[in-house]
Amino acid sequence: DSQVEVTLEITNPTDHLAFFVNPILTAGPDGDEVLPTYWTDNYFSVLPGETRTVVATVDGFRLAGQAPHVRLEGWNVRAASSPTGPPP
């Protein structure tokens, strides 16, 4: 029943605006989206050279023993995935 918090620092290293960035928390690298996940922000833009910090909170049992992963998507952003830590 514990809460899991994941903090992300998202940096745009390009010289173009990263538009409509949407972080998605998944259970494991190929897992489904974990719902509900409460984000401090989503669908945001990141200016060139800017770093944005967002936090996700989710009930640990929803990860089903898998390590949390984050998938980033965006309008003009190449999708990427990254592990965030060990299983809860």
Side-chain angles (χ1 to χ4, degrees):
D1 292 345
S2 65
Q3 295 275 308
V4 173
E5 269 194 8
V6 175
T7 302
L8 302 176
E9 274 193 6
I10 301 166
T11 301
N12 179 0
T14 72
D15 58 353
H16 304 289
L17 175 72
F19 183 69
F20 232 45
V21 176
N22 181 36
I24 299 167
L25 189 70
T26 64
D30 298 316
D32 292 328
E33 182 176 6
V34 178
L35 296 172
T37 299
Y38 300 99
W39 292 93
T40 55
D41 202 0
N42 57 1
Y43 292 104
F44 52 86
S45 294
V46 185
L47 295 170
E50 180 183 29
T51 297
R52 174 75 66 95
T53 301
V54 294
V55 178
T57 305
V58 66
D59 291 323
F61 75 91
R62 296 193 183 279
L63 293 166
Q66 298 292 312
H69 274 64
V70 172
R71 187 171 67 233
L72 281 180
E73 298 176 350
W75 184 263
N76 63 340
V77 176
R78 188 177 331 167
S81 179
S82 178
T84 62

